[in-house]
Amino acid sequence: MSSTAAVAAHGAHAEPHALGFWRTYIFSEDHKMIGKQFLFMALFMMSIGGLMAMLMRWELAWPETQVPGFGWVPEPFMYEGAIPPNTYNAMFTMHATIMIFFVVMPILVGCFGNFLIPLMIGARDMAFPKLNMLSFWTGAVAGVILLSSFFVTGGPAAAGWTSYAPLSAVPIYTGVDWGQNLWCISIIVLGASSLMGSINYITTIINMRTKGMYFFRLPLTIWSLFITAILLLLALPVLTTAIALLLFDRLGGTHFFLPAGGGEPLLWQHLFWFFGHPEVYIMILPAMGIASEVIATFSRKPIFGYRAMAYAMIAIAGLSWIVWGHHMFVSGMDPVLGSGFMITTMIIGVPSAIKTFNWLGTLYKGNIHYTAAMMNALAFVAMFVIGGMSGIWMACTPVDMYIHDTYFIVAHIHYVLFGGSLFGVFAGITYWYPKMFGRMMNETLGKIHFWITFVSFNCTFFPMHILGMAGHMRRIYNPQQYDFLKPIIPINEFISISAFVLGAAQFLLLANIIWSYFKGAKATENPWYANTLEWTTPSPPPHGNWPGPVPIVYRGPYEYSSPGVAEDYLPQSQLLEHSTGAANKRTH
Amino acid sequence: MAPRMTASTAKILPLVAPIRRIRSSGSSAGGDQSERPFISSAMLAIMMLIASEMMLFSGLIGSFLIFRLQAAFWPPPALPRLPIAVTWVNTFVLLSSALTMTLALRAAHRSRQRLLRRYLLATLALGVTFLAVQGSEWVRLVAHGLKLSSGVYGGTFYLLIGCHGAHVTAGVIWLACVAMAAMGGRYNARNAGGIEVCAVYWYFVCAVWPLLFGLVYLM
Amino acid sequence: MLEHMYFPHDISTFGPQIDRLFLLIFWLVLVVWTAVMITMVVFMIRYRARPGRKAEYIEGNSRLEIIWTTATAAILIVLAFMSRSTWADIKEHGPPGDVFYAVTGKQFNWEFTYPGPDGKLGTKDDIIVENELHVPVNKVVRIDLTSKDVIHSFYLPNMRLRQDAVPGRIIHVWFEATETGQYEIPCSQLCGFGHSGMKGNLTVQSQEDFDKWLKDLYANPPAPPSATEGASPK
Ligand code: HEM
Ligand SMILES: [Cu+2]
Ligand SMILES: [Cu+2]
């Protein structure tokens, strides 16, 4: 493309700061800066979502008592620090909405997608840099809209992140008026942001790969982001439809979800989960890609079954469209249909298992270096196994009848989303931090953060399986109102204490990010001796990504410990003058 | 802080091996000058936008079908019928705009500037006509008592048809921009990308309509 | 053994089937998980980096891929078909009913409708009682479940039974209690600020006690719940 060449010429000469403050840091069109913007937005939102989690845990362990230090919060949010039920409902709604839409998605897709795609495929920038900038700022506006709902009368949305109608469709049912409307608007705006992002990613990956970068030479991270972008592109419009109908019910006097006017409450659930299941894979696939990258690098071995890994992700993406009914087994859906969804859900477990086995295969006969990034990636695998396996109980319709809407589900969600996605995020941040900021993160601090997080994470979320088995419903603010839940009060207290440790440990991550930015050791071009293209340019890369020409690719991304060379790595762009043939063979 | 690797230097040392030079394409020029992509980025982007829009319409149509198939009476007895005859004509108007668009595209590919302008303006006029007829019919329907809040019948009608109308409006605005650029002689056989992308979007808008017409008006 | 894992005491006829499935999956998962974790930890220790060592260049193994793909698929599909038969027993061909009630959820109470002295539901002499459900032991209870406002969920932890109550729909559920006693009926679907604490009481009685209670109820019917209660749109 001619524009690529133009950027190239530009990239070779431009000074990093020639654009001035505003164009460099705020309205930047550089994919690397946009990626960092997404990262910082997400970290900020994470602190808010995390605070809410802490408050909820206090409430669940010591219900209807005053939260220490929160006496200043005005009524009706809190009463001298005590949390009333509607505030509790608002908190879990906002906690989940923030964590899903404004933390996990912006980091995995927004930050890593933007930062890594051009660098790993050998492009100077995204296909549409302006659109990319717009995507971030649209997302930021969505975040502001969501946060502003804390300040409207009636408080923020309180119908759960799933916003089941009719609860969410009529203000008097929750007592929330503009809070819910703002929630709807925010998610629609965020959808527009993701749409721009995903169009950009797909176009870039299809059209901007450097010479020799065939699809089957793409790093698995890029594969995962590519598939994720396709899922986003196709899933989000369905959510937009659902939310548009909901907004019309709330503001336009329609009755789409209200049986009184001929509406159908279950329609919301079908639309929402048709989006919702692909959405959960949107939140895990990039983490799977990151884990594959990190595990291969630090095992100093090719990823086991590269193609199987790519095909497994494609299979997951395909199957994720036909399993949504597993969220609705007890909704009154036809039981025969329920059985169909059970079978598809069991089948979607297969590609997930394939991936796990391949990660294990990658470790086999490796030469494993335990860096902080590697530890987080290994934790990702271990935790994802637990999260995926708890899915089997829930996929089994008769068992789900008992554990649906209990803490068993909460345990599952957090094993896949915290244990999976967030450990993947930690691994990714630690791994690419040198490339992003030009400095190494502190390994010791990183390992301390890892161990505290790993232990307290399991102490927090593993016992939730037991709560669920005891029948503890989710989304209740005082479990002690029920006699049959009396025996598990101590477990709730244990969970809350672990959760506080878990929450506090995240300050270590924040501290490490900030400290290393100023004090970390200067990063070399390729500190991990990795193969992929982002390590062939200075850390951080200049505007235009490579000071010289864009590298050409001669082989797959995981040629570690290749018998053809003395070193245990062989960059994708390394041209071997003398060769055994094996090392230079065109693997694709 | 970097892990200990077996590599002592970052440079790759060749092993003792049969010496065979790899015939590399491009050599020092780097990967920038890669071949022209099979399909231009702009075209790819618009096709993905359309894929996404198709999911949006699928959501709406799916919802509509659920209501339609559950309803005992459709339309409900007290509500006005939809204007079928006028809309047949209007359907014809929109579909012929797809034809003029094709002709405009062909003119652009042959660098026939006058023809191009004429067909673009014709397309634009047909699009505006479609919108005007739809608008006036909406006004009449509202006057006859079909409101957004008239049950799911009114709700789905305004939402589905309105959503399509919004897409036509966006298309018309885009067409106007393209027509303006064409006035300035922007497009020719070698530079027709701008028109092609716009045409694809316009085809999409035209193609969705018969489906909606069939479902909402005729079924 | 499930009682030791905090499961509520099981008192329904189909409960044991569900518990058995739960346990089956439990053992399956435990075995697979242990195998995976042992493998992982062994690999992590054995293949830790040591100076001078180089990893072995292994790109994969198609035979292995095929084996573990078919093995997992086979296990999961067998499991799906086993679950399918239990599900069908419970949901598709339940036994004929002995006792019939209507249950309606509303913000934030359960309304239990008992047939009046004529023994039929849906007639004028039906009696509505809030939050108190009495059923005879060893009798099949059939319930027409619905809701007045938002979605609630009718949850009997001790019966392993859960069914959403959806406004505008009547959904059928059944159960048969095998032991007498007092149990709780929480609402398990978020239904507003009073969701937590929305619960009814289930009393399973012997037939004689139940008949006595019913006679009392007919003699002193409670005042019907006021119509204005429970928010409803328009
Ligand atoms: C590996 C195979 C998986 C299976 C078989 C599975 C199965 C299920 C099932 C059956 C449910 C519904 C349970 C219920 O509500 O009763 C569920 C809920 C959920 N799953 Fe999974 N799942 C899997 C993987 C994942 C992954 C990878 C993620 C996300 C990264 C995920 C995220 C969620 C979330 C967020 C919910 C709860 C949604 C809600 O109700 O709020 N799951 N899963
Ligand atoms: Cu799902
Ligand atoms: Cu309820």
Side-chain angles (χ1 to χ4, degrees), chain B residues 190-207:
Chain B
R190 263 175 306 125
N191 183 15
I195 295 190
E196 283 165 3
V197 171
C198 178
V200 169
Y201 181 78
W202 190 254
Y203 289 151
F204 164 69
V205 168
C206 294

Side-chain angles (χ1 to χ4, degrees), chain B residues 82-90 213:
Chain B
L82 301 175
I84 294 190
V86 179
T87 313
W88 266 115
V89 176
N90 216 10
F213 180 52

Side-chain angles (χ1 to χ4, degrees), chain A residues 134-157:
Chain A
L134 199 60
S135 161
F136 170 75
W137 283 106
T138 314
V141 167
V144 171
I145 294 175
L146 191 76
L147 292 182
S148 70
S149 73
F150 279 102
F151 305 101
V152 296
T153 41

Side-chain angles (χ1 to χ4, degrees), chain A residues 256-556:
Chain A
F256 295 120
F257 301 125
L258 304 176
E264 173 58 76
L266 292 190
L267 175 62
W268 168 268
Q269 295 183 28
H270 281 291
L271 289 173
F272 184 86
W273 289 118
F274 186 79
F275 145 81
H277 196 85
E279 164 71 10
V280 305
Y281 281 103
I282 288 167
M283 292 188 287
I284 198 78
L285 283 175
M288 289 174 164
I290 292 170
S292 306
E293 209 68 45
V294 174
I295 289 176
T297 304
F298 293 114
S299 302
R300 314 307 296 163
K301 252 195 79 193
I303 196 89
F304 198 87
Y306 169 83
R307 279 179 178 246
M309 288 296 232
Y311 288 136
M313 286 197 277
I314 294 172
I316 287 176
L319 286 166
S320 69
W321 298 103
I322 50 168
V323 297
W324 81 92
H326 64 217
H327 298 273
M328 299 173 62
F329 287 147
V330 303
S331 68
M333 184 168 72
D334 184 332
V336 179
L337 194 58
S339 299
F341 280 121
M342 163 166 64
I343 292 170
T344 54
T345 304
M346 293 280 184
I347 292 174
I348 206 173
V350 176
S352 308
I354 295 176
K355 299 205 66 101
T356 306
F357 294 137
N358 280 311
W359 285 316
L360 292 189
T362 308
L363 298 179
Y364 176 66
K365 298 208 169 160
N367 194 35
I368 305 170
H369 295 261
Y370 290 101
T371 57
M374 181 63 166
M375 288 163 126
N376 279 297
L378 291 170
F380 164 90
V381 176
M383 299 298 97
F384 177 72
V385 170
I386 298 181
M389 284 187 163
S390 66
I392 302 178
W393 276 282
M394 296 154 20
C396 167
T397 42
V399 175
D400 188 59
M401 182 161 76
Y402 177 59
I403 55 176
H404 175 74
D405 261 325
T406 65
Y407 264 80
F408 201 89
I409 311 302
V410 181
H412 167 75
I413 305 176
H414 288 93
Y415 265 92
V416 283
L417 283 179
F418 196 131
S421 310
L422 274 191
F423 275 108
V425 164
F426 296 154
I429 290 181
T430 327
Y431 185 65
W432 281 294
Y433 190 93
K435 193 51 69 182
M436 285 188 181
F437 300 104
R439 289 179 189 261
M440 307 300 290
M441 269 177 105
N442 185 314
E443 278 287 316
T444 316
L445 200 51
K447 284 178 182 160
I448 295 173
H449 166 253
F450 166 77
W451 278 112
I452 300 181
T453 306
F454 184 74
V455 172
S456 59
F457 165 80
N458 279 292
C459 289
T460 305
F461 292 108
F462 197 81
M464 287 191 187
H465 291 108
I466 296 171
L467 295 189
M469 284 149 62
H472 191 325
M473 293 78 69
R474 65 196 276 210
R475 296 173 173 167
I476 56 171
Y477 98 118
N478 182 354
Q480 298 180 11
Q481 289 164 321
Y482 302 87
D483 290 330
F484 78 106
L485 295 180
K486 291 269 153 72
I488 54 177
I489 290 175
I491 304 186
N492 255 328
E493 291 175 351
F494 174 76
I495 290 178
S496 289
I497 293 168
S498 315
F500 298 147
V501 177
L502 181 59
Q506 302 322 305
F507 286 104
L508 293 177
L509 177 73
L510 221 56
N512 200 351
I513 290 178
I514 296 170
W515 184 87
S516 306
Y517 186 82
F518 297 104
K519 293 279 161 70
K522 280 267 191 306
T524 55
E525 199 164 88
N526 188 2
W528 314 121
Y529 302 98
N531 287 345
T532 40
L533 295 186
E534 77 272 29
W535 304 109
T536 59
T537 178
S539 312
H543 198 66
N545 289 349
W546 281 270
V550 172
I552 296 174
V553 168
Y554 299 100
R555 60 185 66 76

Side-chain angles (χ1 to χ4, degrees), chain C residues 105-110 147 149-154 165 186-192 194-199:
Chain C
K106 66 178 186 191
Q107 288 183 323
F108 298 100
N109 283 302
W110 292 111
S147 163
D149 36 45
V150 303
I151 299 176
H152 300 269
S153 192
F154 183 72
C187 168
S188 87
Q189 180 67 269
L190 176 64
C191 58
H195 166 55
S196 184
M198 169 168 172
K199 63 169 182 171

